Amino acid sequence: MKVFKFGGASVKDANAVKNVGRILNLFPNEDIIVVISAMGKVTNALERLTDAFFYKKENAADVLNEIKQYHFDIVDQLFSNKQHPIYDELNNTFVELEWAIEDDPTHSYNHEYDQIVSMGELISTKIVSAYLNEANIKNQWLDARGIIQTDNTYREGRVDWELTQKLSENLSQQKGITITQGFIGGTSENFTTTLGREGSDYTAAILAFTTNSESVTIWKDVPGVLNADPKWFDETKKLEQISYQDAIELAYYGATVIHPKTIKPLQNKKIPLYVKSFIDPNEKGTVINEIQSPLPIPCFIFKVNQVLISISPKDFSFIIEENLSDIFNLFAEKQVKVNVMQNSAISFSVSVDNDERKLPDLIKTLQKDYRVLYNDNLELITIRYYDQATIERVTIDKKILLEVKSRNTVQLVVKNA
Ligand code: ASP
Ligand code: MG
């Protein structure tokens, strides 16, 4: 068994969907689980729909119509037969969604979010599966919620590995092509959960693990994993091979090519992960596997819009264990992720994303017991396999406010000088 994952960009319009068919045709007679995300930016649109439903931010019916229109445009281009059952199937799905948002919310925001936002993947897989069957690429559609079981931590479902393993038994024996959804799972009470934004990679890794697949391939609009995001860097280089350990570190520090939770299950079973271009499927791409050697060149990860918060006891005493546990608890409770931290005798500093929904509340709470200074509009630069010359090169015209070094990685919080 192989697992393929196609993200939103690889199914963003009719041509992209056709290209999925071309790629699958390169692997005749193979057993493949194909994990697919919502089309294009549909997950963002469904988030808007959830907000419209829950907070009445905008007219929910309008947002739903946009989403409907986008999908039917694609379907119209893919199917010449306007009587094709996919039309009824999609109409029914959208009617269900309409009903779901007609009444007032009955569950928590996160719970409602998952029931609505998961529709993106259900719809995209229905369309792709029907199109491929029509194009003679025979496949089975599979509801991932019947396999991937999670607890009820909505929006960040935690996988029940034992149960998921059990439910994967048939799937491991499945012949030919199986089309299923990324990003979503099911609870013991039959509610839908999601695995966190960009979670489809993780789905691919979970299914590869439970079915003992030989490999996972993530098909992307880039030639492989690059040593920096081309959005921030002019001269990027493709990495041929990356160790699991380096991949975990890069994803952890915020490289967006691969979802951070993806690597560990693959590493445990030594399943290689290929990142390849869906535009040039015959090019080699990048492989993440068991090699031990460090990367040959420095890798850069940029995070913009950072806030550096410096926290110290009001009575000028030292920062000690009780303060730290208190502070960490608050960050966990307010769900603010620490990107880098540094401790000194009288203060504790962290850099975090400037999330307007979470940060003001956190700072207000901290201020009850601590003196809190913060500095916004900063950048966090992480360099894996740094040397002094590289540090100097990326910090030209910048002022370094915080620097944390380990043997292989340096993190710099900087501000334009
Ligand atoms: N569609 C989901 C998202 O955009 C999952 C994914 O694309 O991996 O977050
Ligand atoms: Mg997506």
Side-chain angles (χ1 to χ4, degrees), residues 20-209:
V20 171
R22 273 190 290 271
I23 290 176
L24 289 174
N25 273 331
L26 299 173
F27 301 84
N29 308 316
E30 298 223 34
D31 305 324
I32 308 175
I33 300 167
V34 182
V35 173
I36 302 178
S37 302
M39 294 178 151
K41 302 261 178 263
V42 164
T43 303
N44 293 350
L46 287 165
E47 285 188 337
R48 271 175 54 215
L49 180 63
T50 310
D51 285 0
F53 165 60
F54 205 88
Y55 297 121
K56 312 271 176 282
K57 277 196 179 162
E58 54 188 318
N59 186 348
D62 292 344
V63 185
L64 182 58
N65 266 331
E66 258 176 55
I67 296 169
K68 216 161 140 178
Q69 191 61 47
Y70 170 77
H71 286 102
F72 276 110
D73 278 349
I74 294 177
V75 170
D76 279 338
Q77 290 174 56
L78 289 174
F79 296 85
S80 47
N81 171 13
K82 304 301 169 210
Q83 308 303 317
H84 193 284
I86 187 70
Y87 282 94
D88 272 347
E89 211 175 330
L90 281 193
N91 274 319
N92 292 341
T93 308
F94 281 114
V95 168
E96 260 176 59
L97 245 179
E98 247 162 58
W99 285 343
I101 59 171
E102 234 162 50
D103 298 323
D104 282 333
T106 47
H107 293 99
S108 69
Y109 177 84
N110 287 354
H111 181 131
E112 301 284 3
Y113 174 105
D114 278 1
Q115 312 320 303
I116 294 174
V117 171
S118 57
M119 295 307 259
E121 270 69 12
L122 289 166
I123 295 168
S124 73
T125 50
K126 280 182 182 161
I127 295 173
V128 176
S129 170
Y131 164 76
L132 293 174
N133 275 325
E134 198 68 10
N136 235 341
I137 302 171
K138 294 299 172 206
N139 70 86
Q140 306 266 359
W141 184 86
L142 174 75
D143 191 329
R145 297 170 297 182
I147 309 270
I148 297 189
Q149 296 300 296
T150 72
D151 68 359
N152 56 6
T153 314
Y154 294 101
R155 293 185 71 184
E156 199 68 54
R158 269 178 282 218
V159 175
D160 179 338
W161 285 92
E162 222 171 286
L163 199 50
T164 303
Q165 180 69 63
K166 237 189 236 142
L167 292 167
S168 298
E169 240 164 66
N170 288 339
L171 181 59
S172 337
Q173 308 305 323
Q174 185 83 29
K175 295 287 160 216
I177 297 173
T178 305
I179 304 278
T180 196
Q181 307 80 42
F183 182 52
I184 72 174
T187 69
S188 56
E189 294 166 297
N190 275 322
F191 284 112
T192 304
T193 47
T194 63
L195 306 175
R197 281 305 305 265
E198 308 303 327
S200 297
D201 293 354
Y202 185 37
T203 300
I206 296 166
L207 295 179
F209 182 95

Side-chain angles (χ1 to χ4, degrees), residues 192-262:
T192 304
T193 47
T194 63
L195 306 175
R197 281 305 305 265
E198 308 303 327
S200 297
D201 293 354
Y202 185 37
T203 300
I206 296 166
L207 295 179
F209 182 95
T210 58
T211 61
N212 288 315
S213 290
E214 59 173 77
S215 67
V216 173
T217 307
I218 298 182
W219 297 95
K220 290 190 75 90
D221 54 0
V222 288
V225 179
L226 308 174
N227 74 325
D229 186 337
K231 200 159 84 185
W232 310 113
F233 227 69
D234 293 335
E235 279 171 51
T236 56
K237 292 206 182 76
K238 196 197 82 181
L239 305 164
E240 298 288 321
Q241 229 185 122
I242 308 178
S243 67
Y244 289 119
Q245 195 52 46
D246 275 334
I248 288 172
E249 297 282 336
L250 293 174
Y252 171 78
Y253 288 119
T256 49
V257 269
I258 305 157
H259 188 276
K261 286 183 184 165
T262 307

Side-chain angles (χ1 to χ4, degrees), residues 281-351:
N282 291 316
E283 289 295 315
K284 250 181 78 208
T286 299
V287 58
I288 296 162
N289 61 14
E290 273 197 286
I291 52 148
Q292 295 303 326
S293 42
L295 293 168
I297 47 172
C299 287
F300 303 87
I301 300 147
F302 288 84
K303 274 181 185 269
V304 291
N305 210 3
Q306 294 295 295
V307 184
L308 185 62
I309 311 177
S310 156
I311 305 158
S312 36
K314 278 188 174 157
D315 56 4
F316 301 103
S317 63
F318 292 146
I319 277 274
I320 50 168
E321 288 77 0
E322 285 97 274
N323 308 124
L324 286 176
S325 85
D326 191 31
I327 293 169
F328 278 121
N329 274 332
L330 261 179
F331 275 80
E333 186 189 307
K334 306 288 178 197
Q335 294 182 322
V336 176
K337 191 181 164 288
V338 171
N339 293 327
V340 59
M341 59 187 159
Q342 194 172 52
N343 196 23
S344 75
I346 53 158
S347 83
F348 176 67
S349 303
V350 296
S351 180

